[in-house]
Amino acid sequence: MMPWGFVWRAVGALLWCVGATMMLPLGFSLAYGDGAHGPIVQSMGVAAAAGAVFFFPSRQGTPPSIGHREGILVVALGWIGAAALGALPFYLADTFPTFTDAFFESMSGFTTTGASVLTDIEKVPRGLLLWRGLTHWLGGMGIIVLSLAILPFLGVGGMQLYKAEVPSPVPDKLRPRIKDTASLLWKVYILFTVAETALLMAGGMDLFDALCHAFATLATGGFSTRNASVGHYQSAYVDGVVILFMLIAGINFSLHYQWLTGRPLALWRDPECRFFLYATAVFIVLCAGSLYGTVFDTIPGAFRYAAFQVVSILTTTGFATADYETWPPLTQVILFFCMFFGGSAGSTGGGIKCLRIILLIKHGYRELMRLVHPHAVSQVKLGGRVVPADVLHSVWGFFVLYLALFVVLSLLMAALGLDMVTAFSSVAATIGKIGPGFGAVGPAENYAGLPLAAKWLLSLSMLLGRLEIYTVIVLVIPEFWRP
Amino acid sequence: MEKHLNLDKIINPDEELVHTIERLIAVPDAEDVRELAAGRIQLVAVRVPAESPLKGKSLIEVGRMADGLPYIIGAVFRNETLIVPMGKDVLLAGDLLYVASDKDHIGKVLAFFGCRGKPPENILIIGGGDIGLRLARRLESRALHVRVLEKDRARCERLSEVLRRTIVLHGDGTDQAILMEENIAQMDLVLSLTGDEETNIVCSLLSQRLGARRLITRISKFAYMPIAQAIGLGRVVNPRLSAINSILQYVRRGKIVSAVSLKGEEAEVLEAEAIADSPIVGRPLKDAKFPKGALVLAVVRGAKPTIATGQTVILPGDRVVVLCARKAVPQVEQRLSVQVRLS
């Protein structure tokens, strides 16, 4: 018997929290007098009412322990609820013509994707733009807790490897763990957000722009307040700061916690982080190499733009400083593959993630070794420790599901009449949480022109990608609902 | 641990055996490699090949052929019998020579005696017990290609967890199929190190027949060592001998600094500090009247080792390295005027 009471109460409480955070955009809206305070206040009212509807009728006490199924349900319903609530301010303020667009934008925010259906961003009231950035930031907070406190406990997609690594005094209990881990890691998250805001303001941005960009960077989201994204500022300093913080956001936050609390070598000692930094460097060099002489005449120029775009896509942020669709085909293909790569596990980034890619490569190599030495006994190791077989299995499962969903969703997108490049890249960019793709959804364009059904499909794609696929897919398996 | 238990030295026979093997690996054609005078002098056992140019030559003739290389042949084992050689003695094919030289020249000296092999790169260890594991760890840290063959599945799992680059194979070293599958003919060195010496002998013979270039066999029973020699397994290691050699250096005290035994107990190498009233001090060695069965290999003055010749003069305070047959040991000790006591 599913303890629905607990689930609804958790969702209701979450809606209240999300509603309460609308205070921040409300404040900005009033300060700028942009006229968006009405819809924001109305949305807060709806949040309070909806939260009450979920919370109060379900007064049954919380179950003694929260199992896998309740955890999964709360996560999935919570994300959908937050996205629906987040769409309200946009919808009520008539920012978008349809609720579909508002929902897409909000889902894109909460899943830290950054795919936008806004054509002229700079005309939208600043209060709403701040809300748009804040959805990223809240989604990022959610994902840190999800990936470092909940998924390792649920054993989703190889994340159980992190069970022992996350800072928490009680390693094996879900509920105290969520609370402790959240309070420790959110401090790190907030610290970096403040730091980036300050650095961006030092580079000439005003508080509003700096804060919105910091929100979008740390969450690896990608919503900018400018039509030309970060490219608007034409500043190497701003590019540099954003690249640095995108990299930070692409690294496991429990590692940040470690080096900030007196273990300065934590980043370098972690095999996944090393791999992530190596991979980033290799992709930057490849891209810069293919850009030098074709698009940029100077090596520093080629490196600046290559570095920004590679880091933006690898960490699945999705900011742009250049229209990479005008770049040579080789560069575009490299960037397309970067979309599948993703950041580290335990970061706010999406994609397949470095941890899984390392394990897939190592496992593949081990299979090759077996062909050469049929009697060899070998184990997949990470950082000198043996990776248990069940972790490898769930990583393979994740990989297969990821690619299968990519194939199915691309087929559906093509069935809706999109061309091949757009169909492939829109799915890759949403399931991998990047944002802009190629073709009709490239960095110079947006998702506004897609058919209605495509927007709903891509919203689903974002949700699937963000919740590590298993967590959503499992909901449609009948076995899940059997007592 | 040594400090906490207030011990001077802890000797682990397995660890000593691994050191012995490592020294052997470094000199591919040697049957025994010892270090004397704190590593400044090496004493290496090499066999005279059947088609050696040195065959049938006397030591004086060999010395002329060596063209000034600093070396000394300290002992010759012919059919398991020790000869402490004199200048007119003749070398025969199959003789096992104990040759000493200083660290800088030992490479050239070995080449002169027919040891020209390169140190091995591809190594197969049969038996993944404690010794196999220790050795694999040491070798993989030197970037050599190491494989370990172990027949216990659970042990294989354990080995593959602990070892980083070594390839762990599950199978029996006496199984011809798996040895061929692992391309044993391409192996530079096969070590049979299981805990069972009969198995080790069989594994080594099988590997040899399948084309392995060099072998090292672990044998624990002293009684088997002459047999191993007779069936062609020249390079044999013995955990007890390794431990004994390590212990000997601590047992003999007084002015004797360290002692090494060769070939079981047939001969010993002593290192002692020459004292002023010793009859061997102050005159050329050829006039020093050393007992039969003893030979000064080298003299270390300060940090500088010199390979002994008839003209070498020992001064008080020099460290003298003497090889002597077992029966000559007491006489040599007396000649060095050394108070011997066990401590």
Side-chain angles (χ1 to χ4, degrees):
Chain A
M1 175 59 203
M2 190 72 73
W4 281 106
F6 165 74
V7 173
W8 291 133
R9 279 167 73 91
V11 172
L14 183 78
L15 290 182
W16 279 340
C17 291
V18 173
T21 61
M22 290 185 188
M23 290 299 288
L24 186 66
L26 181 64
F28 270 87
S29 179
L30 290 172
Y32 284 114
D34 60 9
H37 58 276
I40 297 177
V41 171
Q42 287 165 346
S43 304
M44 291 171 78
V46 173
V53 165
F54 283 118
F55 194 86
F56 288 117
S58 343
R59 293 215 61 136
Q60 300 99 312
T62 48
S65 72
I66 310 162
H68 289 201
R69 293 191 301 175
E70 296 78 49
I72 290 172
L73 260 184
V74 170
V75 166
L77 291 177
W79 238 278
I80 295 170
L85 182 61
L88 278 182
F90 302 125
Y91 181 63
L92 295 174
D94 283 329
T95 313
F96 297 104
T98 65
F99 184 74
T100 302
D101 287 298
F103 184 78
F104 182 95
E105 195 79 5
S106 172
M107 182 59 99
S108 172
F110 276 108
T111 57
T112 79
T113 307
S116 181
V117 285
L118 263 184
T119 310
D120 191 353
I121 299 168
E122 285 159 35
K123 263 182 20 198
V124 175
R126 291 188 141 191
L128 290 181
L129 285 184
L130 191 92
W131 172 240
R132 189 167 165 261
L134 193 60
T135 57
H136 268 339
W137 199 70
L138 295 174
M141 284 186 125
I143 209 63
I144 288 174
V145 173
L146 178 69
S147 64
L148 285 173
I150 302 178
L151 293 183
F153 191 80
L154 298 181
V156 167
M159 290 300 293
Q160 55 269 52
L161 269 189
Y162 285 105
K163 216 167 173 173
E165 310 238 320
V166 176
S168 165
V170 237
D172 262 341
K173 291 242 161 57
L174 180 55
R175 217 167 351 156
R177 198 182 156 82
I178 292 176
K179 216 176 118 207
D180 297 327
T181 307
S183 65
L184 294 178
L185 297 182
W186 284 352
K187 278 180 203 152
V188 176
Y189 188 62
I190 291 167
L191 179 76
F192 282 132
T193 310
V194 171
E196 192 191 349
T197 309
L199 284 173
L200 287 178
M201 286 174 76
M205 278 194 198
D206 61 14
L207 174 67
F208 169 77
D209 276 357
L211 194 59
C212 284
H213 281 94
F215 281 164
T217 312
L218 264 306
T220 68
F223 279 156
S224 174
T225 51
R226 300 293 174 175
N227 286 335
S229 190
V230 178
H232 172 87
Y233 299 96
Q234 296 296 331
S235 152
Y237 172 81
V238 169
D239 287 7
V241 170
V242 173
I243 288 175
L244 174 68
F245 281 90
M246 287 195 289
L247 282 173
I248 287 173
I251 290 171
N252 188 334
F253 273 78
S254 66
L255 291 181
H256 289 315
Y257 175 80
Q258 287 178 23
W259 73 258
L260 285 170
T261 52
R263 271 166 290 173
L265 291 174
L267 292 184
W268 191 246
R269 288 214 181 107
D270 183 69
E272 187 191 17
C273 182
R274 272 203 314 266
F275 178 82
F276 170 68
L277 294 176
Y278 277 137
T280 309
V282 167
F283 282 122
I284 289 174
V285 170
L286 284 177
C287 269
S290 66
L291 287 176
Y292 174 62
T294 51
V295 181
F296 299 99
D297 297 329
T298 63
I299 291 178
F303 264 95
R304 174 180 157 192
Y305 287 94
F308 191 95
Q309 224 46 66
V310 166
V311 172
S312 170
I313 291 182
L314 261 188
T315 60
T316 75
T317 309
F319 281 138
T321 51
D323 183 3
Y324 51 76
E325 282 204 283
T326 61
W327 288 359
L330 174 62
T331 326
Q332 293 193 34
V333 172
I334 295 172
L335 291 178
F336 183 69
F337 285 132
C338 285
M339 289 188 172
F340 289 88
F341 224 83
S344 307
S347 72
T348 55
I352 292 171
K353 295 200 175 73
C354 290
L355 171 73
R356 300 198 179 99
I357 289 172
I358 298 173
L359 293 180
L360 290 172
I361 292 172
K362 289 198 168 188
H363 199 193
Y365 180 73
R366 180 183 141 190
E367 294 307 302
L368 284 178
M369 285 299 286
R370 268 193 215 212
L371 287 180
V372 186
H373 303 287
H375 286 84
V377 177
S378 60
Q379 326 238 13
V380 175
K381 284 186 235 175
L382 191 66
R385 277 186 290 170
V386 174
V387 179
D390 62 324
V391 171
L392 291 175
H393 293 159
S394 57
V395 167
W396 274 107
F398 179 89
F399 184 65
V400 169
L401 274 179
Y402 196 94
L403 290 190
L405 279 172
F406 172 70
V407 169
V408 170
L409 289 170
S410 302
L411 277 174
L412 290 172
M413 294 300 283
L416 291 170
L418 299 179
D419 66 274
M420 201 162 91
V421 171
T422 309
F424 278 145
S425 73
S426 64
V427 174
T430 49
I431 202 167
K433 327 252 68 50
I434 292 98
F438 293 89
V441 295
E445 280 135 305
N446 58 48
Y447 288 74
L450 299 188
L452 216 60
K455 287 173 186 165
W456 284 108
L457 270 178
L458 292 180
S459 297
L460 177 66
S461 166
M462 291 189 261
L463 187 72
L464 283 164
R466 182 72 288 177
L467 302 188
E468 309 275 303
I469 296 175
Y470 283 114
T471 331
V472 182
I473 294 272
V474 76
L475 295 178
V476 299
I477 292 181
E479 196 59 35
F480 181 84
W481 300 100
R482 293 204 185 103
Chain B
M1 181 152 85
E2 292 173 6
K3 259 193 196 140
H4 289 296
L5 296 178
N6 201 15
L7 301 175
D8 289 332
K9 173 79 178 174
I10 294 172
I11 291 169
N12 176 346
D14 289 355
E15 194 64 45
E16 297 304 327
L17 185 64
V18 170
H19 287 322
T20 307
I21 295 172
E22 279 192 287
R23 285 199 302 270
L24 269 180
I25 289 175
V27 188
D29 286 316
E31 291 192 11
D32 195 359
V33 179
R34 300 302 179 82
E35 291 190 334
L36 307 169
R40 294 190 188 95
I41 292 169
Q42 283 201 319
L43 181 63
V44 180
V46 292
R47 217 166 263 285
V48 179
E51 62 280 4
S52 168
L54 306 180
K55 183 180 65 174
K57 298 280 195 310
S58 74
L59 291 195
I60 296 171
E61 289 170 303
V62 171
R64 248 179 252 132
M65 290 163 72
D67 200 20
L69 270 177
Y71 77 93
I72 185 164
I73 298 176
V76 177
F77 284 90
R78 184 171 298 158
N79 301 323
E80 300 301 310
T81 318
L82 170 70
I83 303 166
V84 178
M86 317 289 266
K88 56 187 187 305
D89 284 332
V90 174
L91 298 182
L92 299 180
D95 283 355
L96 183 69
L97 313 178
Y98 271 89
V99 182
S101 186
D102 59 85
K103 261 223 145 124
D104 297 336
H105 293 94
I106 190 76
K108 278 185 193 154
V109 170
L110 288 172
F112 171 70
F113 282 96
C115 289
R116 294 194 176 81
K118 284 197 201 83
E121 278 176 23
N122 297 299
I123 299 172
L124 174 68
I125 299 172
I126 299 173
D130 189 40
I131 291 167
L133 172 60
R134 278 170 192 269
L135 183 66
R137 265 192 171 150
R138 304 278 305 201
L139 296 179
E140 73 176 5
S141 70
R142 283 158 51 183
L144 299 170
H145 302 286
V146 187
R147 295 170 198 184
V148 176
L149 182 60
E150 165 62 43
K151 69 171 184 230
D152 180 53
R153 176 84 206 180
R155 179 70 185 169
C156 281
E157 305 271 345
R158 172 83 190 122
L159 291 173
S160 68
E161 281 171 26
V162 189
L163 293 167
R164 290 156 49 81
R165 296 173 58 250
T166 301
I167 297 168
V168 179
L169 303 161
H170 177 225
D172 193 327
T174 56
D175 175 2
Q176 186 160 341
I178 192 164
L179 292 178
M180 289 178 64
E181 183 181 286
E182 287 301 323
N183 211 351
I184 194 144
Q186 296 302 312
M187 287 291 155
D188 300 323
L189 176 64
V190 176
L191 299 115
S192 305
L193 302 178
T194 72
D196 181 87
E197 45 221 329
E198 286 85 359
T199 306
N200 289 341
I201 292 174
V202 172
C203 289
S204 284
L205 290 176
L206 191 57
S207 307
Q208 192 173 42
R209 204 179 70 76
L210 293 175
R213 272 167 237 158
R214 295 196 176 87
L215 306 163
I216 291 178
T217 314
R218 169 189 174 186
I219 291 176
S220 303
K221 281 186 196 151
F222 287 118
Y224 280 7
M225 295 185 68
I227 302 174
Q229 215 84 71
I231 55 177
L233 301 178
R235 284 154 51 106
V236 169
V237 291
N238 182 316
R240 283 157 69 192
L241 268 187
S242 295
I244 288 169
N245 280 325
S246 183
I247 291 166
L248 268 180
Q249 301 182 9
Y250 292 88
V251 172
R252 290 173 178 274
R253 284 287 176 88
K255 289 282 178 182
I256 293 191
V257 188
S258 78
V260 171
S261 76
L262 301 180
K263 277 278 170 183
E265 302 271 82
E266 289 282 322
E268 280 186 20
V269 181
L270 309 176
E271 281 181 53
E273 200 175 300
I275 49 176
D277 52 357
S278 160
I280 60 164
V281 164
R283 65 187 79 170
L285 280 176
K286 62 178 161 50
D287 305 328
K289 293 267 164 55
F290 243 60
K292 197 171 153 49
L295 188 62
V296 176
L297 297 182
V299 176
V300 182
R301 189 165 300 155
K304 190 178 170 295
T306 313
I307 300 299
T309 66
Q311 274 67 47
T312 305
V313 178
I314 296 168
L315 299 179
D318 286 356
R319 187 176 280 201
V320 190
V321 181
V322 187
L323 185 144
C324 41
R326 187 175 38 181
K327 56 183 183 297
V329 171
Q331 286 167 274
V332 171
E333 283 172 346
Q334 192 229 336
R335 200 62 54 99
L336 291 168
S337 292
V338 163
Q339 203 73 38
V340 181
R341 60 191 146 84
L342 298 179
S343 59

